[in-house]
Amino acid sequence: VLFRSYKIVKTNKGDEEFFIAKNQILYEGFAPFMCVGTIPYIGYGFKMFPFASKRPGFMHLRVCDVPLKTCLANLYPGIWNGSFRHKKMHDFLVKDVSIESQTPLAYQFAGDAMGYEKNLYFQTSQNPVNMVCVNWEEIKYNLPNRPLMTPLS
């Protein structure tokens, strides 16, 4: 991380930010899931990045080594609404981040497969574009009670 960043930790007072000086290693170890986002929701009310709007100009970096069975058991509502916390899930607010691996990592951009890389670098824009912002907190999402698609007969 070239710029300052913050680690978000759940405490008795709630989620708190702790300052991290620039040029520090944020996480070292096994992490089968890492993602960055600048908006909280990725679709259908799924709040993948609950801290993305916390600081303007920062993106939410999430590093996760939570066991799959724990994720599945907590998918709804905890993971879905962004309230799930776990000792093996690490949240940061960063302006830039470099991800390095000994083996090539599969990665996506906006849901599209991009290939495999050992080194990835993400940075927020120095010149962001202002856009219309909908207050997503006020919108209530209803999950479908029937399949969205049905097989052809």
Side-chain angles (χ1 to χ4, degrees), residues 45-48 68-84 143:
F46 183 18
K47 197 172 192 178
M48 178 79 144
L68 179 60
K69 65 181 179 180
T70 302
C71 290
L72 293 174
N74 291 281
L75 183 59
Y76 190 82
I79 292 176
W80 195 272
N81 67 21
S83 64
F84 178 76
L143 295 176

Side-chain angles (χ1 to χ4, degrees), residues 19-137:
F19 176 77
I20 300 171
K22 63 182 183 176
N23 295 321
Q24 299 296 312
I25 294 175
L26 300 179
Y27 180 86
E28 191 167 2
F30 182 72
F33 181 77
M34 292 176 283
C35 54
V36 294
T38 56
I39 58 172
Y41 296 94
I42 62 170
Y44 295 102
F46 183 18
K47 197 172 192 178
M48 178 79 144
F49 302 104
F51 306 112
S53 301
K54 199 161 175 73
R55 285 185 172 267
F58 284 76
M59 64 184 145
H60 183 174
L61 165 67
R62 182 162 266 187
V63 180
C64 186
D65 183 22
V66 178
L68 179 60
K69 65 181 179 180
T70 302
C71 290
L72 293 174
N74 291 281
L75 183 59
Y76 190 82
I79 292 176
W80 195 272
N81 67 21
S83 64
F84 178 76
R85 302 291 179 271
H86 193 278
K87 65 182 178 181
K88 291 187 174 186
M89 186 165 65
H90 309 278
D91 293 301
F92 303 92
L93 294 174
V94 298
K95 284 191 173 272
D96 75 316
V97 65
S98 178
I99 297 171
E100 301 171 4
S101 174
Q102 295 173 346
T103 59
L105 302 169
Y107 74 102
Q108 300 176 12
F109 178 76
D112 294 328
M114 300 301 290
Y116 294 84
E117 293 290 337
K118 286 185 178 182
N119 299 302
L120 295 168
Y121 178 75
F122 300 94
Q123 179 180 14
T124 58
S125 174
Q126 300 289 333
N127 302 304
V129 176
N130 290 325
M131 301 186 77
V132 175
C133 180
V134 175
N135 186 355
W136 292 106
E137 300 298 326

